[in-house]
Amino acid sequence: VTFWGLLLLHLSEIVLGALAYGYVLNMEGTGDITEGYGSTMGGLLYFSGVTYTTLGFTQQTAQGAVRLLVMLQ
């Protein structure tokens, strides 16, 4: 039960992060995520998962004010 509970908790944090990125990136002048990862929900989930698990960025970077949100995740 503990494993599944923690897994669900972490996955929900990744999804909430992706939703927050989508919300902020839709605002004018807040920046962008390179390589097109900010244009689809799948891309935002991937970016959020990589950021959350601290795997690091290799093919995408955040630019503009959205970098503050990336730093918080």
Side-chain angles (χ1 to χ4, degrees):
V1 173
T2 303
F3 170 78
W4 294 109
L6 288 174
L7 180 66
L8 183 62
L9 178 66
H10 291 302
L11 288 176
S12 64
E13 290 173 4
I14 291 171
V15 169
L16 285 174
L19 292 173
Y21 290 139
Y23 178 75
V24 170
L25 289 172
N26 281 328
M27 292 182 202
E28 186 67 31
T30 56
D32 194 15
I33 298 173
T34 60
E35 301 297 326
Y37 286 100
S39 60
T40 66
M41 189 58 187
L44 290 171
L45 282 169
Y46 176 76
F47 183 77
S48 180
V50 167
T51 304
Y52 184 80
T53 58
T54 66
L55 291 174
F57 306 115
T58 55
Q59 66 269 51
Q60 76 271 15
T61 58
Q63 300 172 343
V66 74
R67 290 180 298 168
L68 297 173
L69 182 61
V70 171
M71 179 186 70
L72 291 174
Q73 189 182 12

